[in-house]
Amino acid sequence: NSASLTQTVKQPATLVLSVNPYPHATVLESVTLILTATASTGIPTGDVVFYDNGNVLSGNVSLDGSGVATFSTTHLVPGSHSLTAQYAGDTNNAPGTSNLINEDILQATTTTTVGTTDATPTVGESITLSGTVVSTDGPQPTGVVNFTDNGSPLGSASRSEERRVGK
């Protein structure tokens, strides 16, 4: 009596991840992850899943006829992101994980302008301060504007309010 075992040998695929733009993008900017899979014979086929800090970023993305899978997102929050891709393998190619790429997502740049109802008020006169905060490369800012006079707090207002200061 003898037993036999059939073993299929799969070649390793070379998996190279690239990111555009690199090494950083601004919050809400589109970031594209590109995995290129190559092998010593043939072009790898099958699916890839992209990861951000070990968490699934995409669903299954199929390699195209050139062995390339692409995924774009605008949902990366400000901070550092460790991006990888995992290849599921196919009939001839073994599964594998790409190189790791660190991508920094930057907060949007803002410009703040302060205005007043009277640039030269008299003593005891009330004035209204307004603050306009705009983003030059990201989403519209939200939150609170704090008004100070030489470091002393005068008051604060939400992005859509004005603040009356004085009597």
Side-chain angles (χ1 to χ4, degrees), residues 6-146:
T6 302
Q7 178 68 39
T8 302
V9 177
K10 294 186 177 188
Q11 64 185 347
T14 301
L15 307 170
V16 178
L17 179 64
S18 60
V19 176
N20 186 29
Y22 176 80
H24 53 77
T26 303
V27 66
L28 294 183
E29 183 177 358
S30 183
V31 175
T32 302
L33 290 79
I34 305 156
L35 178 81
T36 303
T38 57
S40 57
T41 59
I43 297 171
T45 61
D47 291 332
V48 173
V49 175
F50 293 95
Y51 290 85
D52 173 18
N53 297 325
N55 300 307
V56 173
L57 186 60
S58 71
N60 287 335
V61 179
S62 295
L63 292 170
D64 66 15
S66 300
V68 176
T70 303
F71 175 75
S72 295
T73 183
T74 58
H75 299 291
L76 296 176
V77 298
S80 182
H81 296 265
S82 297
L83 304 172
T84 58
Q86 212 165 21
Y87 171 57
D90 63 17
T91 306
N92 300 313
N93 298 286
T97 302
S98 73
N99 55 303
L100 180 140
I101 292 188
N102 287 313
E103 178 81 359
D104 289 323
I105 303 300
L106 308 174
Q107 291 183 328
T109 304
T110 60
T111 302
T112 304
T113 306
V114 176
T116 180
T117 54
D118 186 350
T120 56
T122 58
V123 174
E125 180 183 353
S126 291
I127 61 170
T128 300
L129 299 175
S130 62
T132 304
V133 183
V134 295
S135 173
T136 56
D137 59 0
Q140 277 305 317
T142 60
V144 174
V145 176
N146 294 309

